[in-house]
Amino acid sequence: MLDTEALPGLTRAERVQAVDAWLAGLLDDAVAGTPPPLPRRGGAPPRTGTDGLALMAVGSLGRRELPPYGDLDLVLVHDGRPEIASLADALWYPVWDAGLRLDHSVRSVADAVAVASADVKAGLGLLDARFVAGDPALAAQLRTATLSSWRQAGSRLLPALRDLRRERARQVGELAFLLEPDLKEAYGGLREGQVLRAVAAAQLADEPTAEVEAAYAFLLDVRDELRRRSGRAGDVLVRQEQRPVAAALGLADEDALLREVSLAGRRLAFVADETWRRVESTLVGRPRSRYRRVRREPLADGVVRQGDEVVLARDARPAADPGLLLRAAAAAARADLLLSPYTLKVLAVHSPPMPEPWPAEVRWSFLRLLASGRAAVAVLEQLDQEGLLSRLIPEWDRVRSLPQRHPWHRFTVDRHLVEAAAAAAELTRDVDRPDLLLVSALLHDIGKGWPGDHSEVGEPIAARIAARMGFAEADVAVVATLVRHHLLLPATATRRDIDDPATVDRVAETIGSDAAVLQLLHALAQADGAATSASAWSPWKAHLVAALVARVQAKLGGAPLEEPAKVLHPTSPQVTSAPPDVPGTAGAVTVGIQDVADGQQVTIGAPDRPGLLSTCAGVLALNQLDVRAAKITVEGGRATSVFAVRPRFGRAPVPEILADGVRAALEGSLPLAERLRQREVDYRQDGTRSAPPRISWHNSEVSGAATGIVEVRAADRAGLLYRLTAAIAGEGLDVTSARIETLGGDAVDCFYVANSSGEPVGPEQRTRVDAALVAAMRSTAGAPPAEVP
């Protein structure tokens, strides 16, 4: 009897051996317990024993890769035995009785071949068929017939297999860049290794290399440990299992595990992409004459195009030409082609070390490569996979496949940098120094491979790399500045009042008096955001940053940019709809709505009173509107509150409903706090994060009416802005404006506050406000205490 409880603790080899032995015994018992049919008059005597009967394992068991809690995929092959149905029942039922999941079939050799030649999944499965017990000659016959059928049907089945993998890649994503990857189905996962073997079996590609097999084996190890630790079948490396899996595999932590998984996935995906290119070029019906002349088109010195690839010219001398590597890479990207695998190998083996500093011709080739935009991404991946990119930039190894656990980021650090350079290539005509933009985009996060703030750490690293590339000393300083301050514009625009002169002064002082640096920082912010995700660079954020740049440009005294429309219109909003039954008196509540970048602007007019901004924010929250910026102005006893909002569920705000809600809240007939608590219960995804909030003050960065800035970082929740502004108002402070930014599940809310007396916010009052904010954030969710620096 098979000890199924002990199977997960065995090694793969031991597990397969135990299951094979058990299945062989089941087949013997099934044959012994099933009487043969009576012989027909004049017919041949009935078959006995396992003659003409073979039990074959396919799937993971057939590949000797059976994971813990894995399914058994079995095929019972026969040569026409009439009692085959009884034999199969006697074989399958003990497997089910043991509590194992079973995928089974009964086939003759002819049946199996017919199915394999018509169904790509069935054909792929039978390629893994392995003899377990019974008649070895029949098993060998099946293997030979299946392989022959696969080779004959390959030209018809492989395009379907390619399409299946591409569709799965669209659905599941790429293994290399997922924070919770599907080890089997994600592109670059275990399925890729199986497909590569199938393509090799069709004699359309070489057998997978030892490096590919090592990457595949590592993913098998990760899956085994994942299932063993979680105690269930499953191939998704969920976050809560990453640390124990890493420890079981002898890795430092979950980030080290994700990095190794990413490296393995990238290798498998890279080889799979190259293999599919080879297959497609074979299947397009080109003449196969060995004497066919291949046209060669010169692209650069020592570099030619041959068919759909870039190769070295016959007279190229890579060992004596340090610039050939980047010249070939740039030529390939400019032609929107790839280097041939053989050319990559030749360059990897024979290219000499790059002189330092780089010669001008080498630096020019590198910039041409980066300026190729999207076409450069695949070429840079080729250089990376052959170790050539790290040879050019040794610091690259620190960020290679480094995971980013921020919810906005869709790529590892190194791929994000390449994507940022590709995005920057679209902006080179907007700046005076496109070369510095391209290099800074490629290096802006290079400090993430080191401890400390990546912007500060990355500054000297980027300077060292730029100097090695041969840039002039002044240019090196600009690259270092761009890397150090690449987050300055988006962080300031989304968290500070850009109409406050102190905000503009701070940015101007930080970057100095060179308007060209501001221009480059603006382009770098756009490229960085585009390479991160759509959420990281929304039309709203682009509008804010452009408005900030216009103000700083004017401050620096350079040629002023055309200033974008004001972000918020606190005095004369363009009202597109307003409640018709509300008279325009000083005591009326009016609501105007205007479409703006990435959402709407809601302008609420009402009699001034303490906590008015909080009341309006609460009404907006009840109407499922996420607030991204807010400002209030008071004139003649009447307040105008302006909010930039985005509907959480796609429903545009209705001015009549908002006006009624504000009026009811001001009259006391709408219990805002109670209604918002109920809404948080209804939408349980809000407020589920347990990380403590953080509160910080920035009183030195304000001017005008505001006397302080309080910044609150906390888990995003329904009505968070309402609770925070109510807490601030409760301590005697007026909120004059607010900037709200949501980063995945976190919110960064910055409030400009003022005492009615005009006095600065003192230490005692800050302490009281901090305590009130902590209480507000814990009012319904029971969060841990806030961190107050």
Side-chain angles (χ1 to χ4, degrees), residues 196 208-209 212 266-276:
L196 288 174
T209 64
V212 170
R266 285 175 71 171
R267 189 62 191 170
L268 286 169
F270 177 77
V271 175
D273 288 342
E274 176 57 39
T275 300
W276 284 124

Side-chain angles (χ1 to χ4, degrees), residues 314-583:
R314 294 186 179 91
D315 58 351
R317 298 292 182 268
D321 187 354
L324 182 59
L325 167 61
L326 286 175
R327 200 160 61 246
R334 301 295 288 183
D336 200 9
L337 298 172
L338 292 172
L339 297 163
S340 77
Y342 178 74
T343 296
L344 271 174
K345 295 292 185 185
V346 169
L347 291 171
V349 171
H350 296 290
S351 291
M354 192 67 70
E356 295 185 12
W358 292 4
E361 182 264 338
V362 172
R363 186 172 65 255
W364 183 78
S365 294
F366 187 61
L367 292 170
R368 276 177 60 84
L369 170 61
L370 297 182
S372 301
R374 297 301 314 164
V377 175
V379 176
L380 286 167
E381 181 68 9
Q382 285 191 299
L383 299 185
D384 181 80
Q385 287 296 318
E386 288 298 330
L388 292 167
L389 193 53
S390 294
R391 193 183 302 179
L392 293 168
I393 307 174
E395 295 85 354
W396 195 259
D397 274 336
R398 297 295 292 253
V399 298
R400 190 166 184 256
S401 282
L402 187 65
Q404 303 195 85
R405 293 192 177 272
H406 196 290
W408 274 6
H409 277 283
R410 26 174 199 157
F411 296 118
T412 52
V413 175
D414 57 336
R415 180 59 179 269
H416 168 71
L417 294 176
V418 171
E419 292 284 338
E426 304 295 325
L427 303 170
T428 53
R429 295 184 180 181
D430 298 338
V431 298
D432 295 332
R433 289 298 302 273
D435 54 340
L436 301 185
L437 172 62
L438 292 169
V439 171
S440 62
L442 185 70
L443 302 178
H444 72 275
D445 278 348
I446 197 70
K448 285 188 175 178
W450 306 76
D453 182 282
H454 76 278
S455 298
E456 296 178 5
V457 174
E459 179 181 9
I461 299 174
R464 187 164 61 247
I465 295 172
R468 189 187 309 135
M469 290 179 176
F471 283 100
E473 185 175 347
D475 293 342
V476 170
V478 171
V479 171
T481 298
L482 295 177
V483 171
R484 173 66 182 87
H485 300 298
H486 70 272
L487 296 175
L488 175 65
L489 295 179
T492 302
T494 55
R495 301 175 192 174
R496 296 292 182 267
D497 184 356
I498 62 175
D499 292 322
D500 186 346
T503 299
V504 176
D505 290 343
R506 188 172 71 89
V507 174
E509 291 170 4
T510 300
I511 65 176
S513 60
D514 190 349
V517 173
L518 175 65
Q519 182 189 61
L520 288 167
L521 275 176
H522 187 197
L524 179 56
Q526 296 175 69
D528 185 15
T532 302
S533 66
S535 300
W537 192 254
S538 64
W540 169 251
K541 181 176 283 190
H543 184 71
L544 284 175
V545 172
L548 175 61
V549 168
R551 289 157 173 75
V552 177
Q553 181 80 40
K555 172 71 177 180
L556 294 178
L561 303 175
E562 182 179 349
E563 185 169 343
K566 278 187 174 294
V567 176
L568 293 174
H569 305 262
T571 56
S572 57
Q574 176 186 344
V575 178
T576 59
S577 182
D581 59 338
V582 178

Side-chain angles (χ1 to χ4, degrees), residues 153-174:
S155 60
R156 177 168 45 83
L157 295 179
L158 284 175
L161 182 58
R162 174 202 59 201
D163 294 341
L164 282 174
R165 292 310 301 146
R166 288 178 176 173
E167 179 60 27
R168 290 301 294 167
R170 283 191 291 269
Q171 293 177 358
V172 183
E174 293 187 60

Side-chain angles (χ1 to χ4, degrees), residues 276-311:
W276 284 124
R277 282 193 295 272
R278 295 286 177 189
V279 170
E280 288 168 357
S281 67
T282 303
L283 298 180
V284 293
R286 294 178 176 176
R288 297 194 178 187
S289 170
R290 60 182 296 184
Y291 302 108
R292 178 168 57 93
R293 189 182 184 91
V294 179
R295 183 169 176 265
R296 293 166 67 90
E297 175 189 346
L299 295 178
D301 183 19
V303 183
V304 299
R305 171 178 183 165
Q306 181 173 287
D308 293 332
E309 295 178 325
V310 173
V311 301

